[in-house]
Amino acid sequence: MKKFFSVHTLVAAALSLFAAVHSQAGVSKAAFLQGSQVEGNADYLISAAPISVLFNEYSSIDPSVYQHDTNQANQLTVLEDGDYLVAATMPILSVETPDNRPCAALEVFVNGSPAPGSLGQSGYIRNQPRNTNMQSETSCHAHLLLRGLSAGDVIELKAFKTAQPAILTQIQTATLYVEQVDQNRSVFSGLSADSLIGVNLNPDYEGAGEDPLELPWASNRKDGGFSHSNGNAGIQLSGGTYLVFVNVPLELASSSRISPSLEILLDGQIVPGGQSRQGYNRNASGHIESSIHFAGLVEVNGSQNLTTQLVRYLNSGNTGNAVLPDGKQASIFVEKIGASGVFLSKATETTNAADPTDWNSNSKEQVVWENASLSDATYSHSGDKITVKQAGDYLLVYNDLLQSTAVRPNPRITVEVNGQALPGAETKTHYIRSDGGHNTSSGTLVFPLEGLAANDVVTVSTQREGQTGYVGIEEFSNEAAIVGLIKKDSLDPATLTSAPRVTSFGGDREGFHISIQQYSSSVVADSVSVLLNGEAVDASVSTSGSVTSITYSFPSIPDSLSSHAVELSYTDSAGAAQSASLSFMVADIYAKVSPSSANATVDTSSSGFVANVSQISSNVHGNNIDNANRQLAGAYSDADGVPYLNVLWMISFPLQPPIH
């Protein structure tokens, strides 16, 4: 049987980078999918109705547990009965810039129906062209347990706009991570109890002295070691380390610029890094929906009571009422995990030399982690760098809470491996209005780190996305950014009976690459045939471990925005014919100089352009061309009349071929 893989992508450069990070088959009993388009191969999100995300960029699955047919790239089918942990991340970019508020959301669907507790609608963008550094990026998130799925059930991630749907926004590599949670794991999972319906989720604690609202839960899975009564808030835990996810969707009932604080508590005390406030709700341009999310590791000493609560502080937005949207629920997931292969640390500072406490630098700065409260021989750590000492697959969880008096900043948090940013590993929900008491916001991220090698270095970085101005960790007694890493069981592809699968594909103006994961059968290298736009090309074929890579470089630069079709065929070691139909667009916009414009009289054996360059240690000339020419002429002197030294004379440059 032939396999067909149809892909159209506008983010090929990022794909090439991301494919280089992956070197193994992935997490056992897990699926890791990525894509940037929605149904119909549409590049823009302009739908007010939920529309499926196409996972046509990266597809890493355990084929014994899942099926992902790339001709139906929006659907992930489970092959076994069971419970499944889901983490969804969807970075968003506003393509148009009218003075408005385009807002996005995501929701997980099972067999065409929304999964309770999976709504994430934190994707608020404040387009404001009159501001030089207007916010144009955001992200949506959700993390929960899908309880009691049956073999053949279909999981989809759907995206939609909650406000200003006609304004063009683009998905920047959405990620769906799904992991089977068997009965040997110790888990509590629940949805908000009916008693929460219609209740104000923004009680004014600091302004009016109202009591915080504890979230009541109705469990849908409660394993041994957890004590809880349905309709109550408290979950009794025994000593150990726990992975905790909470999602709370919000709908404004009155007022504007509200942003309740979600808090995670043990015995009434907020845990380190245990606050989230990305649920800003403007109540303008149709924006009345938002959500709050927490993801992190929590250390429990002895027997302690875990509760979650919502509260309004003076710096977390206006007073006013917010409720659960009609028919929607909050969700919670708590899992006790072993101590082996776990890393946990917190941070308040970055590598920003000008001010380490400022998380809103124009340049990308790394978060500096304090001494780890949890770690073992799986990791080493120094400052901003977390080094994994064992090859394998990891799950990263992150949470922060930032504050500012600047107007409309939005720091962007990203994750890097060996300095290379991972596409899709972003949280960008830090918009702070600095009006109506809204001076704090937060970000949450759950992301798989697949195929790390021993001594790979993981960093978390922050960089200004919206307005300039100081943004720091919220000045709460126990507040900090927190990061956790959990080593997962890796899949052994050689033990699985499966034909090879195309897992990633991408192309740009340099050429294209294809990655094929091998299982019980492998790619016969000398059988590989590649057609580019209908013409046979000599592509490079190499295999490292269980991954076969096929790459091709254009002999000359293709036209900007040109589309290219790739037909791949090969035979696997079981003798089966395999094929894939792929396509990509060169997304870069550029012009080319026609060969007919060449000057035939140029002596190509002599030197080309000659550059006269100068640099002095003091900026005395400003942004003025006449002064720049004066500097090049060596006419500037210091206070003693001594000409400034051209510091470039002291720098040696390698000889380059002449430019003609």
Side-chain angles (χ1 to χ4, degrees):
M1 178 181 296
K2 292 185 177 180
K3 304 291 184 181
F4 294 93
F5 184 32
S6 178
V7 174
H8 171 75
T9 178
L10 292 177
V11 288
L15 284 179
S16 300
L17 174 64
F18 196 46
V21 175
H22 299 283
S23 60
Q24 294 190 7
V27 179
S28 177
K29 299 187 178 299
F32 176 18
L33 308 179
Q34 292 198 304
S36 298
Q37 295 179 312
V38 293
E39 283 182 280
N41 294 105
D43 295 313
Y44 302 112
L45 179 59
I46 52 174
S47 175
I51 185 169
S52 295
V53 176
L54 296 181
F55 296 109
N56 55 6
E57 295 175 4
Y58 190 78
S59 172
S60 174
I61 65 171
D62 182 337
S64 68
V65 182
Y66 307 92
Q67 177 182 333
H68 182 232
D69 182 348
T70 48
N71 286 317
Q72 293 179 302
N74 57 304
Q75 297 185 350
L76 177 69
T77 303
V78 301
L79 304 180
E80 296 181 351
D81 297 350
D83 299 340
Y84 290 82
L85 180 66
V86 172
T89 301
M90 188 174 73
I92 295 288
L93 170 69
S94 179
V95 179
E96 292 184 306
T97 58
D99 193 346
N100 230 312
R101 299 173 176 87
C103 307
L106 61 76
E107 195 165 17
V108 178
F109 278 60
V110 176
N111 298 332
S113 298
S118 69
L119 179 60
Q121 44 190 15
S122 57
Y124 178 84
I125 290 179
R126 179 58 172 113
N127 278 338
Q128 202 167 52
R130 64 180 179 269
N131 289 325
T132 302
N133 300 310
M134 70 176 182
Q135 179 208 11
S136 61
E137 300 179 30
T138 187
S139 57
C140 300
H141 308 265
H143 331 96
L144 73 155
L145 186 73
L146 301 179
R147 181 78 169 100
L149 298 192
S150 299
D153 282 350
V154 175
I155 300 172
E156 295 179 86
L157 180 65
K158 298 203 175 191
F160 57 98
K161 299 287 269 298
T162 60
Q164 306 295 303
I167 296 175
L168 296 184
T169 54
Q170 194 168 36
I171 298 172
Q172 300 174 295
T173 312
T175 298
L176 180 66
Y177 176 77
V178 182
E179 181 184 333
Q180 189 183 55
V181 180
D182 62 33
Q183 296 303 312
N184 294 324
R185 293 164 66 168
S186 182
V187 166
F188 177 92
S189 172
L191 299 169
S192 54
D194 289 345
S195 59
L196 199 62
I197 297 174
V199 175
N200 178 28
L201 306 180
N202 191 41
D204 186 9
Y205 173 70
E206 286 194 327
E210 297 175 357
D211 290 335
L213 175 67
E214 291 189 337
L215 298 177
W217 302 109
S219 64
N220 52 27
R221 175 169 170 174
K222 184 175 67 173
D223 295 336
F226 296 90
S227 178
H228 171 265
S229 298
N230 283 344
N232 291 336
I235 305 168
Q236 199 69 28
L237 309 177
S238 58
T241 303
Y242 291 79
L243 175 64
V244 178
F245 296 155
V246 181
N247 303 308
V248 183
L250 302 172
E251 183 174 293
L252 188 70
S254 65
S255 189
S256 63
R257 297 193 176 110
I258 69 165
S259 182
S261 179
L262 169 65
E263 300 177 339
I264 314 299
L265 304 94
L266 287 174
D267 291 343
Q269 299 297 312
I270 300 174
V271 303
Q275 294 189 88
S276 297
R277 298 182 193 174
Q278 62 272 72
Y280 177 73
N281 204 312
R282 176 62 180 90
N283 194 16
S285 305
H287 180 240
I288 62 169
E289 293 159 318
S290 60
S291 57
I292 320 174
H293 310 274
F294 173 83
L297 296 179
V298 174
E299 296 179 85
V300 175
N301 297 313
S303 177
Q304 291 190 284
N305 190 45
L306 174 73
T307 55
T308 53
Q309 66 183 28
L310 293 169
V311 61
R312 183 252 172 186
Y313 292 108
L314 295 178
N315 67 353
S316 67
N318 264 330
T319 59
N321 288 5
V323 296
L324 290 175
D326 287 346
K328 302 301 179 182
Q329 293 174 278
S331 62
I332 188 170
F333 172 84
V334 184
E335 180 180 10
K336 188 173 186 179
I337 59 177
S340 176
V342 178
F343 178 91
L344 175 62
S345 183
K346 62 181 182 179
T348 59
E349 297 186 348
T350 74
T351 56
N352 185 354
D355 184 351
T357 67
D358 186 1
W359 289 53
N360 199 38
S361 172
N362 288 327
S363 60
K364 179 180 282 191
E365 302 293 343
Q366 287 66 57
V367 177
V368 177
W369 302 107
E370 299 176 7
N371 291 335
S373 58
L374 287 174
S375 189
D376 61 11
T378 311
Y379 308 92
S380 66
H381 160 246
S382 177
D384 60 306
K385 297 176 177 61
I386 305 169
T387 302
V388 298
K389 308 302 291 184
Q390 298 177 15
D393 305 293
Y394 296 77
L395 187 68
L396 179 144
V397 291
Y398 171 87
N399 198 77
D400 67 32
L401 176 60
L402 304 180
Q403 71 173 14
S404 180
T405 57
V407 179
R408 302 187 180 96
N410 181 38
R412 178 198 303 113
I413 302 296
T414 57
V415 178
E416 298 80 29
V417 173
N418 301 328
Q420 295 183 343
L422 301 182
E426 298 180 289
T427 180
K428 302 182 288 188
T429 56
H430 294 105
Y431 176 86
I432 295 175
R433 180 58 182 90
S434 289
D435 193 5
H438 185 245
N439 295 103
T440 55
S441 192
S442 64
T444 298
L445 182 64
V446 178
F447 201 84
L449 307 181
E450 189 178 69
L452 298 189
N455 297 316
D456 276 352
V457 175
V458 178
T459 53
V460 178
S461 299
T462 182
Q463 185 176 16
R464 180 189 65 79
E465 187 278 314
Q467 286 289 347
T468 59
Y470 176 88
V471 181
I473 291 292
E474 205 264 353
E475 295 175 355
F476 189 80
S477 60
N478 207 20
E479 193 51 49
I482 55 172
V483 68
L485 287 172
I486 306 167
K487 192 174 188 302
K488 310 299 287 188
D489 292 335
S490 294
L491 180 68
D492 182 358
T495 65
L496 297 174
T497 302
S498 175
R501 295 183 66 252
V502 173
T503 56
S504 70
F505 166 75
D508 56 23
R509 65 183 181 187
E510 301 296 328
F512 62 83
H513 82 269
I514 306 167
S515 295
I516 303 175
Q517 175 66 60
Q518 302 177 132
Y519 299 98
S520 57
S521 60
S522 57
V523 176
V524 177
D526 59 9
S527 73
V528 173
S529 174
V530 178
L531 299 180
L532 175 62
N533 302 324
E535 300 290 334
V537 295
D538 186 15
S540 173
V541 181
S542 62
T543 298
S544 176
S546 61
V547 178
T548 291
S549 298
I550 300 171
T551 59
Y552 176 77
S553 297
F554 286 117
S556 60
I557 298 176
D559 290 338
S560 174
L561 301 179
S562 56
S563 295
H564 302 271
V566 178
E567 296 291 335
L568 168 69
S569 62
Y570 63 92
T571 301
D572 66 28
S573 58
Q578 306 291 343
S579 67
S581 298
L582 313 129
S583 64
F584 68 95
M585 176 185 289
V586 176
D588 298 325
I589 298 176
Y590 52 83
K592 296 195 298 181
V593 178
S594 171
S596 63
S597 301
N599 187 344
T601 65
V602 171
D603 181 2
T604 59
S605 65
S606 64
S607 298
F609 297 112
V610 175
N612 184 13
V613 294
S614 173
Q615 179 179 336
I616 56 180
S617 57
S618 299
N619 181 15
V620 295
H621 55 74
N623 187 20
N624 183 286
I625 191 168
D626 291 333
N627 290 345
N629 286 328
R630 182 181 174 192
Q631 176 185 328
L632 288 172
Y636 277 112
S637 301
D638 62 19
D640 298 322
V642 178
Y644 283 108
L645 179 67
N646 183 354
V647 297
L648 291 182
W649 291 347
M650 299 182 290
I651 302 175
S652 61
F653 296 95
L655 293 175
Q656 301 292 339
I659 302 173
H660 299 284

